[in-house]
Amino acid sequence: MANYVNPEELKKEILLSKDRDELTPRAIEIFQLMAKEASKKLKYKDEEDRKDCIAFALMDIIKYWRSYNPEKSKYPFAYYTQIIKNGFAKGWRKLHPISSTNKVSLSNENLYSI
């Protein structure tokens, strides 16, 4: 578990937010910290790309934070970290789309079975 986020505090803030149907200011701070720390594990040539990817990750958190189910998982940190990672990937694909000339496509006609 990351030492920059207290898992019990995160869980408490999420449960409180779910009761209010609105993120608490502290939950927002924690999510911002999580996104910032996660971005340090990735390398960017341009600092603006890092900031944009953090923004995409935070947009996903805002969109999906209510879907955490404490009955299914005791670990909201892992759940929200995955949402953040997916947000980074979405942001990167949006900022740097792969052109169709760089894609590999396989059709069923080229696949053989023995």
Side-chain angles (χ1 to χ4, degrees), residues 18-37:
K18 285 174 109 24
D19 285 344
R20 295 179 178 180
D21 196 34
E22 176 180 64
L23 283 171
T24 65
R26 180 62 184 144
I28 293 168
E29 289 174 10
I30 293 170
F31 287 146
Q32 289 172 329
L33 178 61
M34 289 173 67
K36 182 180 174 189
E37 290 297 319

Side-chain angles (χ1 to χ4, degrees), residues 28-72:
I28 293 168
E29 289 174 10
I30 293 170
F31 287 146
Q32 289 172 329
L33 178 61
M34 289 173 67
K36 182 180 174 189
E37 290 297 319
S39 77
K40 292 178 181 178
K41 297 179 190 276
L42 305 168
K43 295 191 188 260
Y44 297 90
K45 289 182 182 178
D46 184 0
E47 184 60 24
E48 289 303 309
D49 284 352
R50 177 186 305 279
K51 291 176 184 176
D52 288 341
C53 286
I54 289 172
F56 275 97
L58 291 173
M59 284 191 303
D60 271 6
I61 284 286
I62 297 302
K63 187 174 181 181
Y64 299 116
W65 74 269
R66 287 179 181 89
S67 60
Y68 171 71
N69 184 345
E71 293 174 11
K72 287 187 177 182

Side-chain angles (χ1 to χ4, degrees), residues 79-90:
Y79 179 82
Y80 290 114
T81 298
Q82 191 59 50
I83 291 175
I84 289 169
K85 287 181 186 179
N86 293 346
F88 279 121
K90 280 186 205 175

